[in-house]
Every structure is written in C-alpha cells, then in structure tokens.
C-alpha cells in the first residue's frame, strides 16, 4: 500500500491506529473529531503549516516496516 497526500486521515487511521503519533507530531491533536478524520493529508498539513511530503514519507516508511 502507498500513502498519498490525497488520502483521508480517517482512512489511514482505520488501516492502522499505530499511525496516530505521526499526525499528533504534526500538531493534529483532535484525531477523533469528524472534521479531522475527513481531511486529506494535504489539507491537514496546509492548516497546520507542516510538510505534507515529509508526513507521507514517514507514513509510507511505517507501512513498509509492516510488510
């Protein structure tokens, strides 16, 4: 599986709850709220002023370790 910036955060969390710390690290502390779960990585990173490409890289590395 490959994570992209266009994927919804809620979908990624549903695939693997262990990804939550990556979102918390970028300042997204309300992972349970419906609005945040429906945001894409790109949207969340724009709002929080973080690098979407860096987050995608971390998430893909996380999932690569699980294979």
């Amino acid at each position: 599986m490959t994570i992209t910036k266009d994927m919804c955060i809620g979908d990624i969390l549903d695939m693997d709850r262990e990804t939550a710390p990556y979102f918390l690290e970028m300042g997204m502390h309300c992972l349970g709220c419906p609005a945040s779960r429906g945001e894409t990585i790109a949207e969340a990173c724009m709002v929080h002023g973080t690098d979407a490409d860096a987050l995608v890289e971390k998430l893909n590395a996380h999932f690569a370790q699980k294979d």
Side-chain angles (χ1 to χ4, degrees):
M1 159 187 10
T2 301
I3 303 298
T4 67
K5 292 187 284 191
D6 298 324
M7 293 179 76
C8 283
I9 290 169
D11 293 340
I12 297 166
L13 290 169
D14 289 343
M15 286 186 271
D16 185 353
R17 292 275 182 205
E18 292 179 10
T19 59
Y22 298 104
F23 296 104
L24 295 172
E25 181 180 286
M26 64 168 269
M28 186 171 212
H29 298 285
C30 57
L31 294 178
C33 91
S36 70
R37 287 188 53 88
E39 281 184 317
T40 65
I41 291 175
E43 292 168 336
C45 285
M46 181 182 66
V47 168
H48 291 279
T50 59
D51 184 355
D53 292 321
L55 178 57
V56 166
E57 187 177 320
K58 288 179 184 181
L59 290 167
N60 280 316
H62 169 82
F63 282 105
Q65 291 177 337
K66 295 211 160 245
D67 290 339

